Amino acid sequence: METKVFKPSEVQAAAQLIDEGQLVAFPTETVYGLGADATNVKAVKQVYVAKGRPSDNPLIVHVADQATVERFAQPLSTAAKQLIKAFWPGPLTMIFQLKPGALAPEVTGGLTTAAFRNPDNAATLALIRAAQTPIVGPSANTSGKPSPTTAQHVLHDLDGKIAGILDDGATKVGVESTVLDLSTNQPAILRPGAITASAIEAVIGQPVMTEQHHVGATEVPKAPGMKYKHYAPAAQVYIVDQKTDWPAALKWAANQSVPIGVMATNDVLTANALPANCEQFSLGTGIQSATRELFAGLRHFDTETEIKDILCQAFDNKGLGAAYMNRLNKSAGQTHFSV
């Protein structure tokens, strides 16, 4: 099929495709999502087909308001309402217990819970309102590959497989939303993102569990990114842990007979002489820009087929760095550079 690219001013045309049961990728402040009517089982099944996504990997439901969540979920707790007021629209996804039969198993992975998010993007909120339905929205990429942060990334993976893309330029955050499980007694972050545990605790006045990012091989994950390989380019990624490790890493790179990709901040790139066989991709000036550029850099080197290895800078695993390192560790398969 032809994949049409829509401007934000063409939201009505994109919404018409959603209403027809077709797939339309949409922008958020985090990454681009692959949209389908969350109440249309046939359309939802096509999301899994287009992405090559495992069927037990649940989908996040994108909504335009709190009232839509209340149509499907059990009564919201005080904490949930506080978090909605504080962070929606924004990069916080929350998991709630559902009313019986409220959403199809294809959306929930067969669970009695579902994840909901109100994205901070005017074009996508207009799309949801125009379609008059909540929209599922996993990242709009081939399953396992780096998430898309531009419409061009979506086209690279899904051109001809989906009906349309709503193009609103590059995303602002660059990694997926924080996923917070509110279906259990103690809130737990299942996927770190731009909304940190400390920010959530400050709103709800209770501790949040933060070490819940993985599930076993036979378990059904409550949120995306907990079970399967994610964010991985074709090349092997090596995490360079400290700025002092870069001379050794670049010495190793210089001794390789093939080109090596290097992803680091400007200070690292200017402080170290890159060997002639290294191609650099700047992660900017710090953790915010690095988080925004991480997937773009991985995708950049995915198009450079001669590059089989990528050296990528680590950051402290705290605050936004927890989200960055979560994605980098998954893309590298936990592989760190060592002499």
Side-chain angles (χ1 to χ4, degrees), residues 24-37:
V24 176
F26 59 87
T28 74
E29 76 280 26
T30 58
V31 301
Y32 273 71
L34 181 54
D37 181 349

Side-chain angles (χ1 to χ4, degrees), residues 168-225:
D168 193 31
T171 62
K172 298 176 182 178
V173 177
V175 297
E176 300 85 353
S177 60
T178 303
V179 177
L180 180 68
D181 189 0
L182 290 176
S183 69
T184 56
N185 290 333
Q186 183 177 1
I189 290 179
L190 305 188
R191 183 180 70 187
I195 307 298
T196 63
S198 60
I200 293 169
E201 290 170 344
V203 171
I204 64 176
Q206 64 181 110
V208 173
M209 296 176 65
T210 58
E211 300 301 323
Q212 305 293 311
H213 305 161
H214 303 283
V215 299
T218 60
E219 296 179 81
V220 176
K222 278 189 173 182

Side-chain angles (χ1 to χ4, degrees), residues 13-28:
Q16 180 62 38
L17 293 177
I18 293 288
D19 291 340
E20 293 171 359
Q22 301 195 64
L23 308 187
V24 176
F26 59 87
T28 74

Side-chain angles (χ1 to χ4, degrees), residues 127-315:
L127 175 69
I128 298 170
R129 294 188 184 104
Q132 297 184 319
T133 183
I135 297 174
V136 297
S139 55
N141 58 314
T142 300
S143 190
K145 288 296 183 181
S147 297
T149 55
T150 68
Q152 289 69 37
H153 294 163
V154 180
L155 274 173
H156 179 271
D157 282 16
L158 300 178
D159 191 13
K161 297 181 181 179
I162 63 176
I165 303 170
L166 181 59
D167 184 358
D168 193 31
T171 62
K172 298 176 182 178
V173 177
V175 297
E176 300 85 353
S177 60
T178 303
V179 177
L180 180 68
D181 189 0
L182 290 176
S183 69
T184 56
N185 290 333
Q186 183 177 1
I189 290 179
L190 305 188
R191 183 180 70 187
I195 307 298
T196 63
S198 60
I200 293 169
E201 290 170 344
V203 171
I204 64 176
Q206 64 181 110
V208 173
M209 296 176 65
T210 58
E211 300 301 323
Q212 305 293 311
H213 305 161
H214 303 283
V215 299
T218 60
E219 296 179 81
V220 176
K222 278 189 173 182
M226 297 181 69
K227 183 175 182 180
Y228 299 98
K229 186 178 181 182
H230 278 70
Y231 322 123
Q236 174 61 55
V237 178
Y238 295 92
I239 302 169
V240 183
D241 289 299
Q242 302 292 334
K243 291 182 179 180
T244 53
D245 290 346
W246 277 101
L250 294 175
K251 182 178 179 181
W252 168 85
N255 290 326
Q256 305 307 303
S257 59
V258 295
I260 303 296
V262 175
M263 295 174 58
T265 50
N266 294 339
D267 59 334
V268 170
L269 295 174
T270 55
N272 296 277
L274 265 61
N277 66 326
C278 286
E279 179 182 338
Q280 72 179 44
F281 184 93
S282 173
L283 293 177
T285 57
I287 184 58
Q288 284 193 323
S289 61
T291 302
R292 186 173 62 249
E293 297 297 333
L294 176 63
F295 289 149
L298 295 175
R299 282 189 165 270
H300 168 76
F301 287 121
D302 231 6
T303 65
E304 305 287 334
T305 55
E306 73 278 9
I307 289 180
K308 306 301 182 185
D309 298 291
I310 302 169
L311 299 170
C312 189
Q313 182 176 342
F315 281 85

